[in-house]
Amino acid sequence: MWDEREELKQERREFGSGLGRAALAFLVFSLAASFEVRAQSQASTTPAHREVTDETGRVVRLPAQIMRIVSLAPSLTETVYALGLQDKLVGDTEYCDYPPDATKKHKVGGAINPNMEEIALLKPDVVLVVKSLNRLETVRALEQLGIPVYSADPHDVTAVLASMKRLSEVLGAEDAGAALDAKLRERLAAIHAKLNGVAPIPVLFVVWTEPLMSIGRKTFIADVLEHARATSVVDSRQDWPQFSLEEAVRLQPEYLVFASSHSETVRNDVEALALKPGWSALRAIKNRKITIVGDAINRPGPRIVDAVEELSWQLHPEAFAEKD
């Protein structure tokens, strides 16, 4: 009798345990089904596309998530890397050489005349351009192919920072954009603090020597000079004005500023200028007051504060004596 009762209890326990497992399995299945229905419902209500306004005022229709990017400007390529989105960069130009990894990306030609067929084959969700560099014809050609184009258009250092932050939001990297913006603004403020009370130096920024070409007052490079407590002796509404050497001699800048990633080559070229007729009349040439900064000064991107710092240090070394 005792054994029969024990067997009966064991059967009941096993039955209850099995019933519990079945109930648990049913509960898990129900929850999974509920989550799936909810996910499908959310997916059906989440828009596949969105509209943003770029910095030229154009309304651009973009996918909800950007997965494939083509950059047609070195500065924008640098920004994509600074935001940590390099894995989404499927193509860039022949001139996109920083950071070094950018040279390994699929090349779509130059910034002025990119290869439309190459771009189309990459199936980008968006193509990034800069108004001051890329042509309107390029934008229109891409639009005709049904490829969204987002254009940046910064004109000063503060606008460059704001432009990068805005682009981070467009590309879905808001947190990275906010962190980058805060870091660069903090560095810029530190430079301003060192230069507080320093008198600006008149300089001639030389874009090209033959013909002689400089920068206009509305360019972001002119604003870089201002942040570095320098001022361009050229006051022109044109972005890249040409003028005569005689005019440069009349203006007599205290410093000549050149930009290059190969400073020794430029320095040799500058030394050669002193032997050319007319150039020796510039006091900056006579006194060898020549400043050569990296190519970051030519790119309205994340290294723009580097350019301000480098130029400030060369023009006002006394303000950075602690750094020395």
Side-chain angles (χ1 to χ4, degrees):
M1 179 67 67
W2 180 262
D3 293 340
E4 291 179 357
R5 289 178 180 176
E6 286 299 317
E7 290 178 2
L8 182 58
K9 289 179 180 179
Q10 180 66 21
E11 289 176 358
R12 287 175 178 172
R13 283 196 295 268
E14 292 177 355
F15 178 78
S17 177
L19 190 61
R21 287 195 296 269
L24 180 60
F26 178 76
L27 178 60
V28 172
F29 175 79
S30 299
L31 288 173
S34 175
F35 284 133
E36 183 177 357
V37 170
R38 190 180 303 172
Q40 290 177 350
S41 175
Q42 290 176 346
S44 63
T45 58
T46 300
H49 291 82
R50 59 200 165 100
E51 289 188 344
V52 301
T53 302
D54 72 9
E55 294 174 28
T56 66
R58 295 170 51 258
V59 176
V60 186
R61 190 169 185 263
L62 297 172
Q65 287 190 325
I66 302 295
M67 302 304 297
R68 299 178 65 81
I69 303 168
V70 168
S71 167
L72 296 185
S75 61
L76 293 175
T77 295
E78 292 188 25
T79 301
V80 170
Y81 272 86
L83 295 174
L85 299 175
Q86 58 269 21
D87 290 343
K88 295 183 178 182
L89 184 66
V90 296
D92 62 14
T93 74
E94 298 169 355
Y95 301 99
C96 295
D97 56 3
Y98 189 92
D101 186 69
T103 62
K104 303 174 185 177
K105 296 295 183 179
H106 187 95
K107 301 304 174 184
V108 297
I112 305 301
N113 292 298
N115 188 315
M116 295 298 159
E117 183 178 354
E118 289 287 334
I119 296 175
L121 288 173
L122 292 173
K123 299 180 180 179
D125 293 322
V126 64
V127 173
L128 306 179
V129 301
V130 175
K131 183 181 178 182
S132 61
L133 175 64
N134 305 107
R135 298 187 307 157
L136 180 60
E137 290 81 357
T138 298
V139 174
R140 289 174 175 169
L142 289 168
E143 287 179 331
Q144 290 177 355
L145 293 173
I147 300 174
V149 183
Y150 181 90
S151 179
D153 188 29
H155 293 276
D156 55 51
V157 173
T158 302
V160 170
L161 302 185
S163 176
M164 290 188 292
K165 193 171 185 294
R166 170 59 179 155
L167 185 60
S168 74
E169 297 167 357
V170 171
L171 299 178
E174 295 89 342
D175 291 345
L180 177 64
D181 184 70
K183 178 182 178 181
L184 294 178
R185 289 182 186 276
E186 183 180 358
R187 288 181 57 199
L188 195 60
I191 296 169
H192 290 165
K194 286 184 177 293
L195 296 177
N196 186 35
V198 175
I201 294 177
V203 304
L204 172 62
F205 187 91
V206 182
V207 175
W208 203 254
T209 57
E210 293 182 1
L212 186 57
M213 183 183 298
S214 188
I215 55 172
R217 61 173 179 257
K218 294 296 184 180
T219 60
F220 70 90
I221 296 179
D223 194 54
V224 168
L225 297 181
E226 295 290 338
H227 281 273
R229 299 301 289 163
T231 182
S232 174
V233 295
V234 178
D235 185 17
S236 174
R237 294 182 180 180
Q238 298 179 24
D239 286 348
W240 314 108
Q242 294 183 22
F243 59 102
S244 66
L245 182 57
E246 290 75 16
E247 179 67 8
V249 171
R250 185 187 69 80
L251 294 171
Q252 285 297 348
E254 186 174 339
Y255 271 84
L256 298 183
V257 181
F258 293 81
S260 175
S261 57
H262 307 287
S263 58
E264 289 305 318
T265 301
V266 172
R267 192 170 296 280
N268 292 335
D269 291 343
V270 170
E271 293 294 332
L273 286 177
L275 303 177
K276 293 186 177 181
W279 282 90
S280 59
L282 283 169
R283 286 195 293 269
I285 289 287
K286 289 181 179 179
N287 299 329
R288 293 297 188 267
K289 288 193 172 183
I290 298 163
T291 296
I292 301 172
V293 294
D295 63 350
I297 198 171
N298 290 321
R299 299 183 177 185
R303 291 190 295 153
I304 197 70
V305 176
D306 292 355
V308 173
E309 185 174 44
E310 183 181 5
L311 186 59
S312 301
W313 184 83
Q314 293 197 53
L315 294 177
H316 307 286
E318 68 285 353
F320 294 82
E322 183 179 330
K323 177 180 177 180
D324 290 340

